[in-house]
Amino acid sequence: MTATTFETATPGRALRIGLWAAQGLIFFVFASAGLVKLLTPIPRLAAMMPWAGQYSETFVRIIGLIDLAGGIGILLPALTRILPRLTVLAALGCTVLQVFALVFHLSRGETDVTPLNVVLLALSLFVLWGRGRKAPITPRQL
């Protein structure tokens, strides 16, 4: 007789660490970009991001709110374990946002910013897959 080993259903430590690192990075980038778009006067913002001076202030501020919400949503529900499925929804939202951002920047010929969009898209997809399928966060028992 031979002993058979079975893989456990629990995700590996490297996967869990990678997911937390991706979530932390996405949080940092999205939250800081959102705060910049929300708090910086439009003329100063347009010097950093030319598109910001070519669209309405309302549009720019709404994009800032979306960025901030995505950043908070990707980390806070998982960290607190309160409604952690919101992290998966935030990852989906960040993924969709990066697809739109890629199309937006490519249509304007702003190819210099698209590598960041591609990296954020890949990280968002990784969190969407990881927290949705491989290593979901268990809700806290209240």
Side-chain angles (χ1 to χ4, degrees), residues 29-127:
V29 172
F30 273 75
S32 51
L35 288 173
V36 166
K37 290 172 190 156
L38 284 171
L39 303 175
T40 305
I42 294 296
R44 279 192 37 217
L45 192 59
M48 296 184 283
M49 305 171 195
W51 67 267
Q54 299 167 358
Y55 290 87
S56 72
E57 181 175 357
T58 303
F59 177 77
V60 174
R61 304 304 186 199
I62 287 172
I63 296 299
L65 280 173
I66 292 169
D67 285 347
L68 184 59
I72 291 170
I74 206 90
L75 188 62
L76 192 61
L79 202 57
T80 62
R81 293 179 49 208
I82 298 172
L83 298 174
R85 287 298 284 172
L86 292 178
T87 292
V88 177
L89 293 176
L92 177 61
C94 291
T95 298
V96 170
L97 181 62
Q98 288 312 300
V99 169
F100 284 137
L102 268 168
V103 170
F104 176 79
H105 291 299
L106 288 172
S107 73
R108 294 176 44 85
E110 299 170 344
T111 56
D112 54 324
V113 297
T114 57
L116 177 62
N117 295 126
V118 170
V119 169
L120 290 171
L121 175 60
L123 288 171
S124 298
L125 284 168
F126 175 59
V127 173

